[in-house]
């Protein structure tokens, strides 16, 4: 017997076809019991073929009742076809990555703000490609232990790798702190 019970049911009306939906946490840190503290709430990214991409913040608490946070300029490059959530900057905060039919890769970050909204989406970088981007993934495709941004376009597969000198600048101080902690205990 199946004892599945639907505890919550939320609806929202959007114009045009939905192209991607992702649930994510803003912070990459482990979940705590208090899921609404320090950016650890569950958020919903929704992209559309004809509208701005949007984020419903803290959907477990608010559902889809509050107006979504819009991703500025996400509708200027034809349809958004795909999305990914990843910590590209190694800051402990996830970025929102969109691939468009207009041959653009858009990367957003959620910045904490005061009243009236808790967050604001900011386009932090974009890159143009020769062909529409149909899929984007952040995974370790090279097997070196470091994830790459993998794009599938109508021309083939594109792999964007981090600059290893920048990764060293980020990781070495962190490893030194870990080493100090291990040697002092």
């Amino acid at each position: 017997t199946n004892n599945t019970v639907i505890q919550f049911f939320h609806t929202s009306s959007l114009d045009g076809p939905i192209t991607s939906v992702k649930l994510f946490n803003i912070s990459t840190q482990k979940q705590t019991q208090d899921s609404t503290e320090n950016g650890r709430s569950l958020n919903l990214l929704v992209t559309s073929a004809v509208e701005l991409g949007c984020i419903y913040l803290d959907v477990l608490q608010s559902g889809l009742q509050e107006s979504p946070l819009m991703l500025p300029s996400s509708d200027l490059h034809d349809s958004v076809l795909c999305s990914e959530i990843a910590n590209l900057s190694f800051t402990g905060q996830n970025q929102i990555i969109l691939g468009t039919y207009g041959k653009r890769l858009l990367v957003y970050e959620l910045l904490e703000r005061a009243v009236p909204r808790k967050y604001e989406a900011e386009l932090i970088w974009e890159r143009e490609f020769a062909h529409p981007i149909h899929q984007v993934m952040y995974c370790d495709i090279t097997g070196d232990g470091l994830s790459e941004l993998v794009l599938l376009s109508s021309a083939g597969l594109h792999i964007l790798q981090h600059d290893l000198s920048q990764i060293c600048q980020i990781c070495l101080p962190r490893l030194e702190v870990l080493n100090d902690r291990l040697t002092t205990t």
Side-chain angles (χ1 to χ4, degrees), residues 39-176:
R40 292 187 179 101
S41 59
L42 195 59
N43 307 289
L44 179 66
L45 168 66
V46 179
T47 62
S48 167
V50 295
E51 291 185 325
L52 286 166
C54 65
I55 299 170
Y56 291 92
L57 296 170
D58 198 7
V59 293
L60 293 179
Q61 191 73 20
S62 305
L64 304 176
Q65 303 307 314
E66 294 187 20
S67 60
L69 178 64
M70 304 310 246
L71 298 175
S73 304
S74 62
D75 62 341
L76 298 180
H77 307 289
D78 215 334
S79 298
V80 173
L81 298 179
C82 55
S83 64
E84 179 66 298
I85 306 295
N87 181 12
L88 296 175
S89 60
F90 297 94
T91 59
Q93 180 176 330
N94 281 318
Q95 285 80 44
I96 295 101
I97 306 154
L98 305 180
T100 72
Y101 190 79
K103 308 171 191 170
R104 295 278 181 155
L105 183 70
L106 308 172
V107 179
Y108 292 87
E109 190 162 79
L110 295 182
L111 305 174
E112 284 194 67
R113 296 287 186 232
V115 178
R117 297 196 75 100
K118 186 171 180 173
Y119 290 98
E120 179 181 326
E122 181 178 298
L123 181 63
I124 56 171
W125 65 270
E126 64 181 284
R127 181 170 176 182
E128 187 171 7
F129 288 81
H131 300 278
I133 300 168
H134 295 284
Q135 185 62 281
V136 59
M137 284 181 63
Y138 189 63
C139 59
D140 182 12
I141 197 166
T142 59
D144 63 358
L146 189 61
S147 292
E148 294 83 26
L149 198 56
V150 181
L151 310 173
L152 178 64
S153 76
S154 54
L157 193 66
H158 310 270
I159 301 171
L160 305 179
Q161 293 181 288
H162 291 281
D163 181 346
L164 291 180
S165 63
Q166 289 179 348
I167 298 301
C168 285
Q169 289 176 354
I170 293 169
C171 291
L172 285 176
R174 292 178 185 178
L175 288 172
E176 289 173 1

